[in-house]
Amino acid sequence: MHEAWRFVKEYGFTMAEAMKQAWMQFKLRARLLRGVVEFVYMKVNGEVRTAHGTLLNVPATKGVRRGCQTCQTYWDMDVDDWRCYRIENLLEVR
């Protein structure tokens, strides 16, 4: 609920849009912790990107990457490195 209010205050979402976005982000994070997930988000430059990411079994040699409160960090299976996106830009979880 806290995340939804932030979407309303900072990004001008309606409460319904904010709740949908917050719930989608919550479910994605839970799935990332269990395995590889395909999801779609909009990059800061406006490009739409389909990603295959995980937070499970990340190679130890790559270290741990911490994101900010407004970003979701994930291990990108396609480029074999850390990536992140702004959580308000999440479009779809497949």
Side-chain angles (χ1 to χ4, degrees):
M1 190 68 164
H2 171 72
E3 197 68 37
W5 275 113
R6 193 170 65 73
F7 289 143
V8 170
K9 291 177 186 175
E10 292 182 24
Y11 306 110
F13 283 42
T14 66
M15 191 54 169
E17 292 169 336
M19 290 294 288
K20 180 180 176 184
Q21 189 73 13
W23 186 239
M24 185 169 41
Q25 175 60 35
F26 177 80
K27 290 190 294 187
L28 174 60
R29 175 128 176 99
R31 287 182 59 193
L32 286 170
L33 290 167
R34 291 192 312 253
V36 178
V37 183
E38 180 179 357
F39 55 98
V40 180
Y41 64 91
M42 185 180 309
K43 294 170 57 172
V44 175
N45 66 5
E47 180 184 338
V48 176
R49 181 171 192 283
T50 301
H52 299 90
T54 188
L55 292 173
L56 181 68
N57 298 328
V58 176
T61 59
K62 296 291 185 171
V64 175
R65 181 171 178 185
R66 297 186 187 264
C68 64
Q69 189 177 30
T70 61
C71 296
Q72 173 63 57
T73 303
Y74 66 95
W75 181 260
D76 193 315
M77 302 299 288
D78 299 328
V79 295
D80 207 31
D81 202 3
W82 290 106
R83 294 288 185 260
C84 66
Y85 66 90
R86 296 179 57 103
I87 59 176
E88 69 273 7
N89 292 339
L90 180 62
L91 300 175
E92 179 184 359
V93 178
R94 297 182 177 158

